[in-house]
Amino acid sequence: LNEYKAYELPKEALVDKEQLRGVYVVEDDKIKFKPVYSLLEEDGKVLVDSDFTRIFTKYELKKNPDYKPLKDFDKIIIDHEKVKEGDLY
């Protein structure tokens, strides 16, 4: 039996960037992109996992070392249409 840590988010928080699905978060007063893996979408909500072994192959992970996994208490930007990665928050 496998166990996964998952986060429930509003579906509109999801961002598609360079063939990756993720969310924008505030980190060190800047907007950062964090990839996630969608487990389940239902009723305007999405259950996501940030386990990089489910998102990237080992080769891809080496190519994208700047990405960090979503973690507890990350401040997620829901209305991501008004921001872009690198903006000050």
Side-chain angles (χ1 to χ4, degrees):
L1 182 65
N2 293 329
E3 280 189 34
Y4 297 101
K5 183 173 190 171
Y7 299 95
E8 183 180 64
L9 308 172
K11 189 175 178 179
E12 63 266 18
L14 293 178
V15 178
D16 290 317
K17 177 185 172 196
E18 299 173 10
Q19 299 179 339
L20 287 174
R21 178 162 271 194
V23 293
Y24 284 137
V25 299
V26 177
E27 189 174 278
D28 300 325
D29 297 325
K30 287 189 179 178
I31 304 297
K32 305 274 184 165
F33 178 79
K34 291 194 174 184
V36 296
Y37 179 81
S38 296
L39 297 167
L40 177 68
E41 291 183 32
E42 186 173 88
D43 297 327
K45 305 240 186 227
V46 62
L47 199 59
V48 300
D49 179 9
S50 64
D51 179 0
F52 277 8
T53 60
R54 297 183 82 167
I55 301 167
F56 298 108
T57 65
K58 288 181 183 179
Y59 170 76
E60 289 172 324
L61 193 52
K62 287 179 185 176
K63 241 175 65 172
N64 299 300
D66 295 335
Y67 289 133
K68 296 179 183 171
L70 190 63
K71 59 186 188 288
D72 294 350
F73 305 109
D74 273 345
K75 185 174 185 174
I76 295 169
I77 304 297
I78 304 298
D79 192 5
H80 61 81
E81 301 289 325
K82 298 179 181 178
V83 297
K84 63 181 184 293
E85 190 169 14
D87 283 353
L88 291 176
Y89 186 80

